[in-house]
Amino acid sequence: MQRAAVASVVGARMLNEIEEGSLEELLTSLRTNFTTLANSDFDDHAVNHDIDPDHGHDVTSNSSQKLVIAPNTTTTTKPEPRHFPIPFLNDLVQRHFRATSTATLSISGRHHELLYLLVATLIAPPHCKTVAILDFDGRFDPLRLLATTTPFCSPSTSTGTPSTHRLDPSDLDHVHILRPPPPRRSNNAPVPPLHTYLVGMEEYMLYAPHKSRGREWWGTIVIGGSIGNTTTTTTISSSNNHPAAAQVAVTAGWQGWLRVDRAEVTTMGAGARWTFWNKSAEEARAEREERETAVEEGGWVASSAWGTFVFGSGSG
C-alpha cells in the first residue's frame, strides 16, 4: 500500500515536469540547436585546422566538416533578407524590406541573367559560399556560370570600369541543384507541397557527403514552381510557417517585384544617336552585325518601384 502511494507521488511529479508542445515547435528547436552546434563545431575546426584563404575550406580534409548555415530567421518572428554581395542589389533589397517587411528577393522577366551573376558572385572568392537551387523549370544551366564575369555590376550612372573574375570549374561543386519531376497530369496525383522539396534540400545540404562541407550555406534559390494557379511567390508565402522556408532567399518566376529586361540598345549612326527600333528593314539588314554587337554589349536592367540598376556587358 505504501509502495503504491510512493509510486503515485513520483508519477505525478514526473507528469508535472513534462512540457506540452507541438511537433512543429520540437522540430524548430532541433533545427536551431543543430545550427548552433554546427556553427560552433565549424569555428573549432577552423581554429584547429589550416583553412585555405582563397577558397575557405580545409586544405587537409573536408569529410568531417559540418556545413555552416548563413544567419537568418529560423529563431526570429520577422525574417531579414540575406546579404547580397552585389552592392546595388543589396541596397535595393534592403529598401524593399524596409518598405514591405518582406525578406525574399522575388525576380521576374529575364531572371536567369541576374541569377547567373548572383550565384557566380556568391561562390567566387572572396565570398566562397555554397548555394542550393530548387529548379522547377529545369532551365538553369550551371555551365553558364563559367562564362559569367563577377563582380560585373554598376549603377546606371556609373562610368567606372568594374573589376572582373572568372570562375574555376571546381567552383561549380558548390552549386547544388535539385530538379523536381514535372507533375503528371494524367493520373491526377496530388502535387507535393513546396516545403516537401525544401525539407529534402535542407537534409541534403546538412547531412549529405558533398564537397561544400567547409563553406557557408548562403541560402536557397527557388526557380519556377507554378502549381495550377499558384505561383512560386504565393507558395513560398504560404510555406513561411515551415522552418525549411527560412532558407529561401530568392524566388524567380513570372511574378516578382524586381523585373529584369534587356537594357535599351543604342548606337551611333550617320552622326546621330539612334535606338534599336527606329530603323527600316533595309537599314537593319545592312547593319545587322553592328546591331548584334550592340545587343550583346547592351547589358541588362533590373527595375522595381524601389530602384533600378544595370548589369552585364554594357554596365561599365
Side-chain angles (χ1 to χ4, degrees):
M1 194 68 181
Q2 185 177 3
R3 290 182 180 179
V6 172
S8 177
V9 171
V10 172
R13 184 180 301 171
M14 292 178 63
L15 290 175
N16 289 332
E17 293 176 354
I18 296 177
E19 296 182 3
E20 295 184 0
S22 66
L23 291 177
E24 288 293 337
E25 293 174 344
L26 176 61
L27 181 59
T28 300
S29 176
L30 290 174
R31 290 178 189 274
T32 302
N33 292 335
F34 179 84
T35 300
T36 303
L37 290 174
N39 291 346
S40 176
D41 290 347
F42 180 81
D43 292 337
D44 295 340
H45 183 87
V47 171
N48 298 322
H49 294 74
D50 293 330
I51 302 298
D52 185 291
D54 295 327
H55 299 285
H57 58 73
D58 189 350
V59 297
T60 57
S61 173
N62 66 0
S63 60
S64 61
Q65 295 183 13
K66 292 183 174 63
L67 189 71
V68 179
I69 303 176
N72 201 313
T73 56
T74 53
T75 59
T76 62
T77 58
K78 185 179 180 181
E80 294 185 0
R82 293 290 197 283
H83 173 75
F84 291 79
I86 302 172
F88 315 103
L89 176 60
N90 189 66
D91 292 343
L92 194 153
V93 170
Q94 293 295 334
R95 287 197 296 271
H96 173 265
F97 173 70
R98 289 193 293 269
T100 66
S101 297
T102 301
T104 305
L105 168 61
S106 181
I107 313 173
S108 61
R110 303 291 292 272
H111 51 76
H112 280 93
E113 305 303 326
L114 183 55
L115 291 179
Y116 289 132
L117 176 63
L118 174 61
V119 174
T121 304
L122 285 167
I123 65 176
H127 308 291
C128 297
K129 310 293 186 182
T130 186
V131 181
I133 299 176
L134 188 58
D135 184 12
F136 286 93
D137 292 346
R139 295 190 295 114
F140 185 89
D141 182 6
L143 295 180
R144 284 281 303 276
L145 298 172
L146 298 178
T148 303
T149 53
T150 176
F152 203 33
C153 179
S154 67
S156 52
T157 58
S158 175
T159 57
T161 301
S163 60
T164 61
H165 173 81
R166 286 195 179 275
L167 295 176
D168 186 87
S170 62
D171 291 323
L172 299 184
D173 292 337
H174 307 291
V175 181
H176 304 272
I177 303 175
L178 172 63
R179 292 190 174 98
R184 297 180 179 179
R185 302 183 182 277
S186 58
N187 55 9
N188 295 324
V191 179
L194 179 62
H195 69 258
T196 301
Y197 298 110
L198 294 177
V199 170
M201 176 64 81
E202 183 178 72
E203 290 178 351
Y204 168 79
M205 294 299 294
L206 293 178
Y207 307 116
H210 51 71
K211 297 182 180 180
S212 300
R213 307 298 296 178
R215 290 195 174 195
E216 181 184 88
W217 178 18
W218 180 80
T220 300
I221 298 173
V222 180
I223 305 174
S226 296
I227 302 176
N229 295 323
T230 305
T231 64
T232 302
T233 304
T234 305
T235 53
I236 286 291
S237 300
S238 63
S239 300
N240 274 343
N241 292 330
H242 198 281
Q247 289 301 325
V248 178
V250 182
T251 63
W254 67 278
Q255 284 186 333
W257 59 264
L258 180 66
R259 181 174 179 82
V260 178
D261 296 291
R262 276 201 177 275
E264 182 181 6
V265 178
T266 58
T267 186
M268 302 298 293
R273 192 173 183 85
W274 47 267
T275 65
F276 185 85
W277 306 107
N278 64 352
K279 287 288 184 176
S280 66
E282 291 77 9
E283 291 172 325
R285 282 194 297 268
E287 298 166 355
R288 180 177 179 179
E289 183 176 350
E290 180 183 358
R291 284 177 172 275
E292 289 179 351
T293 302
V295 169
E296 292 175 358
E297 295 179 352
W300 304 88
V301 56
S303 56
S304 73
W306 295 271
T308 300
F309 65 93
V310 176
F311 65 96
S313 298
S315 60

